[in-house]
Amino acid sequence: MKKLLLFSFLILAYHASFSQAEITEHEIKDHILFLASEKNAGRYPGTKANRAVVKYIVKDFKKQGLLPFAKNYKQKFKARLRVEKGQPEKPLAKTCNVVAYQEGNDPILKNEYIILGAHYDHLGMGGPSSKSDKKNTIHYGADDNASGTATLLEIAEKVAVNKSQLKRSIIFIAFGAEEQGLLGSQYFVDNPLVPLSQIKLMINMDMVGRLNTDNHVYMNGAGTFPGGVEFMQNLGESLSLTPIVHAGSVGGSDHVSFFKKDISVLGVHTGAHPEYHRPEDTADLINVPGQKQVSDYIYKALMTFASTDYKMGFIPQD
Ligand SMILES: [Zn+2]
């Protein structure tokens, strides 16, 4: 009996570890439910809720065996918070980016980095960037950007399991204070943890949870690296997605901070919706199977760039 129990336990343990290696709908959903919970109150920089979310991301990176650049994976900075016109300035908020990396195995290419990023902060109780008339209401930010953060954690987990395939190194960044004006990514490019010249591509995910029935995935900046437009188009189609690939239009999220430093970028999202920057952007509206599809797509793209000698190089855009 004891033996049988032990055996069942091993089988269970095997399945548990196996499911962890894959990007699963279940895990995506769990991450979003946590990040966009009532308790985390819209993940506003400088708040206790924001710190709880940082702790959650740090714990996850650590669990995957990813390496930190600094103590506790935190790149701390102070954020100037947006205020309504005519309102007095708020004190600077202490917040951070959460940064981890996985080293590549090729003796030369491991000195080249690909960054995968997503901002984890949101609007808290509203404020000047809210589009809602409701004052002092939690802006859950499930799509913006609990979704991107969840995909970041899921891809990081799968990369860690498959690290032996990597030639280039990958840096994972959960950015703080994006909603206050791309502050986390701006801080990173001004205080980079590796030389900017060694960063070959930055892939950013901001709002990837609302794949529509036509499976439209939007991509900005794909023309900033060789063959980017064709590659993203073909890969998406092979995964039953309908990519809308823009070569030059760069968009308005954290990847723009990198683009401005002449780094190739790819900004991925699943499109705008009526709940954007409103309290109604909630977890129940996330298309979880769709987000898994998008996550697999980004994982495959990332692994192609990191585990082959795919030619990289910045191509300026007008
Ligand atoms: Zn966002």
Side-chain angles (χ1 to χ4, degrees):
M1 187 62 193
K2 238 183 184 170
K3 258 188 189 163
L4 188 68
L5 265 175
L6 180 67
F7 181 72
S8 331
F9 176 75
L10 284 174
I11 293 281
L12 273 174
Y14 170 76
H15 279 286
S17 64
F18 180 75
S19 72
Q20 274 177 9
E22 287 303 318
I23 295 166
T24 65
E25 289 178 27
H26 178 81
E27 287 171 299
I28 288 173
K29 196 172 170 187
D30 278 358
H31 288 314
I32 294 175
L33 285 174
F34 172 79
L35 295 163
S37 63
E38 195 90 34
K39 205 174 165 202
N40 286 327
R43 309 181 299 283
Y44 191 69
T47 62
K48 199 174 150 203
N50 198 267
R51 288 193 289 278
V53 166
V54 165
K55 201 172 160 192
Y56 179 86
I57 299 167
V58 166
K59 201 175 155 196
D60 202 86
F61 280 168
K62 202 180 268 180
K63 192 175 93 187
Q64 311 317 330
L66 298 172
L67 298 172
F69 285 100
K71 196 173 165 246
N72 289 329
Y73 300 80
K74 290 177 199 166
Q75 184 184 38
K76 295 181 181 174
F77 66 95
K78 289 187 181 135
R80 184 174 302 278
L81 302 168
R82 283 183 165 149
V83 288
E84 304 275 4
K85 263 199 189 120
Q87 291 298 305
E89 282 204 2
K90 291 185 181 181
L92 293 178
K94 286 185 189 168
T95 189
C96 66
N97 297 322
V98 189
V99 191
Y101 73 98
Q102 181 69 64
E103 198 175 50
N105 300 290
D106 183 280
I108 294 165
L109 287 178
K110 74 173 184 185
N111 298 310
E112 297 188 359
Y113 295 87
I114 295 173
I115 295 182
L116 184 69
H119 76 87
Y120 65 87
D121 67 300
H122 193 56
L123 300 174
M125 306 300 282
S129 304
S130 171
K131 304 214 175 288
S132 175
D133 305 330
K134 292 180 198 153
K135 294 291 164 204
N136 264 324
T137 313
I138 296 177
H139 286 52
Y140 295 92
D143 186 34
D144 187 10
N145 187 26
S147 69
T149 309
T151 288
L152 177 73
L153 297 179
E154 283 299 283
I155 292 180
E157 181 177 56
K158 192 167 177 180
V159 166
V161 172
N162 296 289
K163 61 184 175 190
S164 63
Q165 297 174 21
L166 296 180
K167 289 187 171 184
R168 294 186 166 105
S169 301
I170 300 178
I171 303 176
F172 301 94
I173 311 179
F175 292 108
E178 187 268 354
E179 305 284 11
Q180 308 301 320
L182 315 184
L183 300 185
S185 53
Q186 189 59 50
Y187 189 83
F188 185 89
V189 297
D190 289 339
N191 304 272
L193 300 169
V194 298
L196 289 182
S197 62
Q198 287 172 233
I199 301 171
K200 295 299 161 186
L201 175 66
M202 193 277 164
I203 305 176
N204 189 51
M205 305 171 291
D206 192 354
M207 300 173 63
V208 292
R210 300 283 289 269
L211 188 72
N212 65 17
T213 47
D214 293 324
N215 289 355
H216 286 148
V217 192
Y218 300 85
M219 244 150 303
N220 296 319
T224 58
F225 60 99
V229 172
E230 300 76 11
F231 179 83
M232 293 313 295
Q233 189 71 43
N234 294 338
L235 177 64
E237 284 169 12
S238 77
L239 298 168
S240 310
L241 291 165
T242 312
I244 316 282
V245 184
H246 299 287
S249 151
V250 176
S253 184
D254 288 310
H255 54 291
V256 175
S257 303
F258 290 81
F259 176 73
K260 286 182 175 162
K261 297 280 183 185
D262 290 351
I263 294 170
S264 305
V265 296
L266 199 54
V268 187
H269 66 98
T270 49
H273 47 73
E275 293 77 26
Y276 173 71
H277 280 198
R278 290 173 189 272
E280 292 78 17
D281 176 8
T282 49
D284 55 302
L285 296 177
I286 298 293
N287 173 357
V288 179
Q291 191 178 328
K292 174 178 157 44
Q293 236 180 308
V294 174
S295 305
D296 287 333
Y297 176 38
I298 301 167
Y299 174 79
K300 284 211 164 98
L302 175 69
M303 285 308 269
T304 303
F305 304 139
S307 65
T308 69
D309 30 32
Y310 191 102
K311 193 178 176 302
M312 285 293 169
F314 180 65
I315 303 173
Q317 304 291 314
D318 309 318

mmCIF file of all heavy atoms in Angstrom, residues 119 144 178-179 206, ligand 1:
data_model
loop_
_atom_site.group_PDB
_atom_site.id
_atom_site.type_symbol
_atom_site.label_atom_id
_atom_site.label_comp_id
_atom_site.label_asym_id
_atom_site.label_seq_id
_atom_site.Cartn_x
_atom_site.Cartn_y
_atom_site.Cartn_z
ATOM 1 N N HIS A 119 5.151 45.626 -18.757
ATOM 2 C CA HIS A 119 5.000 46.420 -17.522
ATOM 3 C C HIS A 119 3.972 45.763 -16.600
ATOM 4 O O HIS A 119 2.978 45.211 -17.065
ATOM 5 C CB HIS A 119 4.647 47.877 -17.831
ATOM 6 C CG HIS A 119 3.226 48.160 -18.253
ATOM 7 N ND1 HIS A 119 2.218 48.399 -17.341
ATOM 8 C CD2 HIS A 119 2.644 48.257 -19.472
ATOM 9 C CE1 HIS A 119 1.080 48.657 -17.993
ATOM 10 N NE2 HIS A 119 1.309 48.560 -19.288
ATOM 11 N N ASP A 144 -4.349 45.274 -19.371
ATOM 12 C CA ASP A 144 -3.286 46.290 -19.320
ATOM 13 C C ASP A 144 -2.701 46.382 -17.918
ATOM 14 O O ASP A 144 -3.180 47.162 -17.118
ATOM 15 C CB ASP A 144 -3.873 47.642 -19.751
ATOM 16 C CG ASP A 144 -2.828 48.735 -19.890
ATOM 17 O OD1 ASP A 144 -1.638 48.422 -19.851
ATOM 18 O OD2 ASP A 144 -3.231 49.908 -20.031
ATOM 19 N N GLU A 178 5.107 52.230 -16.013
ATOM 20 C CA GLU A 178 4.914 52.492 -17.454
ATOM 21 C C GLU A 178 3.813 53.510 -17.662
ATOM 22 O O GLU A 178 3.915 54.414 -18.493
ATOM 23 C CB GLU A 178 4.568 51.188 -18.194
ATOM 24 C CG GLU A 178 4.511 51.318 -19.714
ATOM 25 C CD GLU A 178 3.143 51.649 -20.300
ATOM 26 O OE1 GLU A 178 2.143 51.691 -19.540
ATOM 27 O OE2 GLU A 178 3.053 51.879 -21.509
ATOM 28 N N GLU A 179 2.742 53.371 -16.875
ATOM 29 C CA GLU A 179 1.572 54.235 -17.046
ATOM 30 C C GLU A 179 1.861 55.685 -16.657
ATOM 31 O O GLU A 179 1.085 56.581 -16.953
ATOM 32 C CB GLU A 179 0.390 53.722 -16.213
ATOM 33 C CG GLU A 179 -0.011 52.263 -16.480
ATOM 34 C CD GLU A 179 -0.784 52.071 -17.782
ATOM 35 O OE1 GLU A 179 -0.839 53.015 -18.600
ATOM 36 O OE2 GLU A 179 -1.322 50.973 -17.968
ATOM 37 N N ASP A 206 2.328 44.336 -24.237
ATOM 38 C CA ASP A 206 1.462 45.228 -23.478
ATOM 39 C C ASP A 206 0.038 45.051 -23.998
ATOM 40 O O ASP A 206 -0.273 45.510 -25.095
ATOM 41 C CB ASP A 206 1.944 46.681 -23.643
ATOM 42 C CG ASP A 206 1.271 47.625 -22.656
ATOM 43 O OD1 ASP A 206 0.362 47.179 -21.924
ATOM 44 O OD2 ASP A 206 1.658 48.810 -22.620
HETATM 45 ZN ZN ZN B 1 -0.089 49.029 -20.759
#
